[in-house]
Amino acid sequence: MENTANNTQKREELTIKFGKGLVGKPFTAKTGKECVSIKIPNPDPADKTPWESIVVGANHVHEDKFGKGMWMKVPADGQTKVSRSVITGKDENGKNIYESTSRVVSNRDLKALMESYKTREKTSVRDALAQPAIPGSGEKKPHTADLQR
């Protein structure tokens, strides 16, 4: 007999890294499995629509060695359901009515969505401080107390 462990092929996995603040509180699904919700920020900072989210098993999400970030591994050829809650109106009591829209994305696209912060243009605070905010504001006017001395 052949050993089945030797016959299993190693599947390709993707590692998705994201911030600790994107992970929601753990909850128990209807099936009794511990799950956690992960928010996906919008790639465009000007986009003010609600963020999308995914739900994964709590044991699939891990903290990095520095304690600042999180990571998870997903199959490279798999797909994940991404959902977004949008306010559609208000009921008679004044409470918001939400509608959930879902779509299925490949895990490679999911990685690109989750790690979109890496492709953003980085601006330096030092460069912003070097340039005067208002033209002509680089000159300082003398204080009246200094003129009287």
Side-chain angles (χ1 to χ4, degrees):
M1 273 195 172
E2 294 180 22
N3 189 355
T4 57
N6 293 337
N7 291 338
T8 58
Q9 296 177 353
K10 203 169 200 181
R11 65 180 182 171
E12 185 182 352
E13 292 184 331
L14 296 174
T15 302
I16 302 175
K17 298 175 185 175
F18 48 94
K20 216 174 192 178
L22 299 178
V23 180
K25 294 181 181 176
F27 62 93
T28 305
K30 292 179 184 177
T31 59
K33 183 179 176 185
E34 282 289 317
C35 294
V36 68
S37 174
I38 300 172
K39 296 285 185 184
I40 303 172
N42 295 328
D44 182 17
D47 185 7
K48 300 299 180 193
T49 58
W51 288 1
E52 293 179 312
S53 64
I54 59 172
V55 175
V56 295
N59 59 342
H60 291 263
V61 180
H62 309 283
E63 191 173 355
D64 70 357
K65 64 182 177 179
F66 303 110
K68 303 249 181 198
M70 306 291 280
W71 62 273
M72 69 177 180
K73 286 197 174 196
V74 293
D77 58 346
Q79 294 181 337
T80 304
K81 182 179 177 183
V82 178
S83 59
R84 176 186 310 224
S85 294
V86 180
I87 297 174
T88 57
K90 294 191 178 218
D91 64 0
E92 61 274 353
N93 296 332
K95 292 187 178 183
N96 292 335
I97 299 172
Y98 289 91
E99 183 179 310
S100 182
T101 58
S102 300
R103 64 187 176 116
V104 177
V105 297
S106 71
N107 286 344
R108 292 191 190 277
D109 292 339
L110 178 67
K111 180 178 172 80
L113 285 171
M114 296 280 295
E115 297 181 354
S116 65
Y117 65 92
K118 293 180 179 179
T119 61
R120 288 188 188 153
E121 184 178 316
K122 294 183 171 92
T123 58
S124 172
V125 174
R126 184 179 289 167
D127 293 340
L129 292 175
Q131 298 174 352
I134 302 170
S137 67
E139 304 169 7
K140 292 192 175 186
K141 296 178 183 176
H143 291 278
T144 56
D146 294 337
L147 293 175
Q148 294 175 356
R149 291 187 191 167

